[in-house]
Amino acid sequence: MRKLRVAAAQMGPVAKDESRAEVVQRLLKMMRGAAEMGVDLVCYPELALTTFFPRWCIDSKDEFDLYFERELPGPETRPLFDEAARLKIGFYLGYAELDVSSGEKKRFNTTVIVDKAGRIVGKYRKVHLPGHKDLSTVGGTAKSGHVVNNFERRYFELGDLGFPVWRAMGANLGMCICNDRRWPETFRAMGLRDVEVVMCGYNTSAVSARRIGNRETLLPSHIGMFHNHLSMQAGAYQNSTWVVGIAKCGREEGHDLMGGSCIISPQGEIVALAHTLEDEVIVADCDLDECEIGKGGMFNFDRYRRIEHYRIITEQTGRTSPPAAG
Ligand code: CDT
């Protein structure tokens, strides 16, 4: 048995005026709790260091740049890296990245894997950016501050690093972020690289709406959580991998975010599930050898995957991925 003890460190709401130092203290508290339970790898949510600012359509770059990290670790986040090295625990963290390395400002919705020595070993930039660039494509109710607002396309560039898989902490580790989990290609891209643990932090509204034309109606309240788990459980099963889903949840700046953080086995079963809408650590012993049941059997890609037929289907339907629209 190749065991990796994994924790999902769910976060309750982060207020707009909560400082980075305060948030880092919350993350440290959960990291220490996880370390006491012998955890190897603790996973935090998407954009864990701030409130979920993409719910707002902010005009001023000076204002929204305050939510971004220019460096990681920076002065305020350094304690996380130092404590991870001291406790010999790895972590996965979501943050808003401001990259100025090319001479121009580029902004990404990013996650990193940090190993037990406190070193960044992998970086991922979100590919499936949901929502809108500005108010022009938003429906009527959303204009007046609807709960499901999302303006990620305003702030972030498309992730440009693909879906790599890293060998760290004795496992094949992969990352995705929130909306990525709804797309089977996300998990398959990593499944094809023999991923054994996929980490997915999210900020997802607890309210689901459906829009037909200009008319927007609310969906039954259970459906959002059903889709949350359905997507990750299917990704786990069809790619024979552990999946860790980590929520930022509760009532944040008047908006309700869903919880439901979970750890899912390669059989697609939830083996640990958060039961609050607050900071909460859940733990599971992930036997990486369990991935072999699917990888060497039902989902032995080399033996059973019908890639030639998928090419024919693409040709017949003419459907390829269009460039990202506004
Ligand atoms: N953060 C994030 O990706 N949220 C999306 C909801 C977007 S609603 C327009 C999600 O898939 O949960």
Side-chain angles (χ1 to χ4, degrees):
M1 170 166 165
R2 285 189 301 134
K3 190 199 78 178
L4 189 73
R5 189 166 286 183
V6 175
Q10 174 175 284
M11 296 178 74
V14 175
K16 189 175 179 218
D17 61 4
E18 209 167 324
S19 71
R20 295 286 201 289
E22 287 170 319
V23 175
V24 166
Q25 282 309 315
R26 285 169 59 181
L27 300 179
L28 282 171
K29 187 173 174 208
M30 291 199 281
M31 181 185 279
R32 290 180 189 123
E36 271 170 27
M37 291 186 270
V39 164
D40 297 294
L41 173 63
V42 57
C43 308
Y44 298 112
E46 172 190 35
L47 301 174
L49 298 170
T50 65
T51 198
F52 187 69
F53 65 91
R55 71 168 60 89
W56 297 304
C57 186
I58 305 169
D59 279 331
S60 154
K61 284 199 166 138
D62 289 343
E63 186 184 337
F64 68 63
D65 270 352
L66 295 175
Y67 292 105
F68 284 75
E69 310 302 310
R70 284 167 181 269
E71 49 175 349
L72 195 82
E76 289 140 322
T77 47
R78 164 67 62 192
L80 270 179
F81 289 71
D82 291 346
E83 193 66 349
R86 192 182 74 79
L87 297 169
K88 297 189 176 46
I89 186 169
F91 67 91
Y92 155 92
L93 175 76
Y95 67 105
E97 177 193 6
L98 181 61
D99 176 13
V100 291
S101 60
S102 66
E104 57 177 301
K105 285 186 174 177
K106 288 189 170 175
R107 299 173 186 81
F108 297 97
N109 188 340
T110 299
T111 51
V112 285
I113 298 169
V114 177
D115 70 10
K116 291 182 176 186
R119 288 180 307 234
I120 294 177
V121 292
K123 179 187 275 193
Y124 167 72
R125 290 168 169 165
K126 187 172 181 177
V127 167
H128 299 97
L129 294 174
H132 306 270
K133 259 200 166 68
D134 54 51
L135 287 164
S136 66
T137 50
V138 175
T141 50
K143 273 203 177 86
S144 57
H146 195 280
V147 281
V148 294
N149 272 1
N150 183 305
F151 292 97
E152 285 188 54
R153 284 172 178 231
R154 181 176 194 79
Y155 303 110
F156 302 122
E157 312 229 3
L158 267 186
D160 56 357
L161 302 175
F163 290 99
V165 168
W166 294 268
R167 186 77 190 167
M169 289 166 259
N172 296 341
L173 302 177
M175 300 184 265
C176 64
I177 305 176
C178 197
N179 190 263
D180 285 326
R181 71 196 186 289
R182 305 188 192 276
W183 302 88
E185 297 90 338
T186 296
F187 292 99
R188 184 49 50 93
M190 290 183 271
L192 287 166
R193 292 176 160 145
D194 291 331
V195 76
E196 294 171 321
V197 182
V198 174
M199 295 161 277
C200 181
Y202 57 90
N203 284 264
T204 296
S205 175
V207 180
S208 304
R210 172 186 64 171
R211 203 168 124 202
I212 302 174
N214 256 347
R215 211 169 68 83
E216 198 176 63
T217 52
L218 295 183
L219 293 172
S221 58
H222 69 277
I223 208 85
M225 186 62 80
F226 171 63
H227 289 160
N228 176 38
H229 287 153
L230 176 71
S231 307
M232 293 192 288
Q233 289 180 260
Y237 170 59
Q238 293 170 345
N239 296 281
S240 320
T241 179
W242 290 88
V243 172
V244 189
I246 320 100
K248 177 136 70 55
C249 56
R251 179 154 296 183
E252 194 179 82
E253 295 297 329
H255 298 261
D256 287 319
L257 296 171
M258 72 166 65
S261 300
C262 57
I263 302 175
I264 302 164
S265 82
Q267 298 294 338
E269 283 186 305
I270 294 177
V271 298
L273 179 63
H275 66 283
T276 71
L277 292 175
E278 296 162 12
D279 289 6
E280 178 184 347
V281 179
I282 57 167
V283 178
D285 279 334
C286 302
D287 178 2
L288 304 173
D289 285 338
E290 251 185 79
C291 300
E292 195 45 35
I293 299 170
K295 287 190 197 303
M298 177 74 80
F299 297 109
N300 180 331
F301 293 149
D302 292 337
R303 190 174 168 88
Y304 297 118
R305 196 162 167 265
R306 288 285 169 251
I307 188 68
E308 183 58 20
H309 279 71
Y310 308 150
R311 190 179 59 70
I312 291 166
I313 292 164
T314 305
E315 281 168 12
Q316 284 175 347
T317 60
R319 292 295 286 265
T320 54
S321 214

